[in-house]
Amino acid sequence: MKNIITISREFGSGGRTIAKAAAQRLGYAFYDKELIEKIAEESGLSREYIEAHGEHAPGRTYFGYAFVGRDAAGNSVGDYLWKV
């Protein structure tokens, strides 16, 4: 099982510096906006699309998933983003 720590921050709080230091001390990988850029580069999708849709499920119920477009293998764009 992988552990994920999320640090919420506000402009000028030093949260990014604190998060980087905490990740380094704990031996965790650190991801910030660079991850969005990397996914955009690897997927061919726009940065704006990834920012808007990369962390959200289509709905809270199975019904929401019924209307998500899928490819021949049954994968949605959201599935593709997670794989990248």
Side-chain angles (χ1 to χ4, degrees):
M1 183 160 116
K2 295 182 180 181
N3 295 314
I4 297 173
I5 297 173
T6 303
I7 298 177
S8 180
R9 59 184 198 225
E10 292 185 22
F11 182 76
S13 68
R16 186 171 199 268
T17 304
I18 293 167
K20 274 185 148 180
Q24 187 176 11
R25 277 190 163 176
L26 295 169
Y28 285 21
F30 174 79
Y31 299 104
D32 200 10
K33 296 232 183 228
E34 295 89 14
L35 183 61
I36 293 172
E37 296 294 334
K38 184 176 180 180
I39 291 171
E41 184 180 304
E42 290 183 20
S43 70
L45 297 169
S46 74
R47 188 176 143 247
E48 292 79 15
Y49 182 87
I50 294 166
E51 285 178 339
H53 302 287
E55 296 185 22
H56 304 287
R60 293 183 177 191
T61 66
Y62 290 116
F63 186 73
Y65 287 90
F67 296 102
V68 175
R70 302 208 176 261
D71 64 10
N75 297 312
S76 69
V77 175
D79 296 334
Y80 178 63
L81 278 176
W82 280 107
K83 287 177 184 176
V84 173

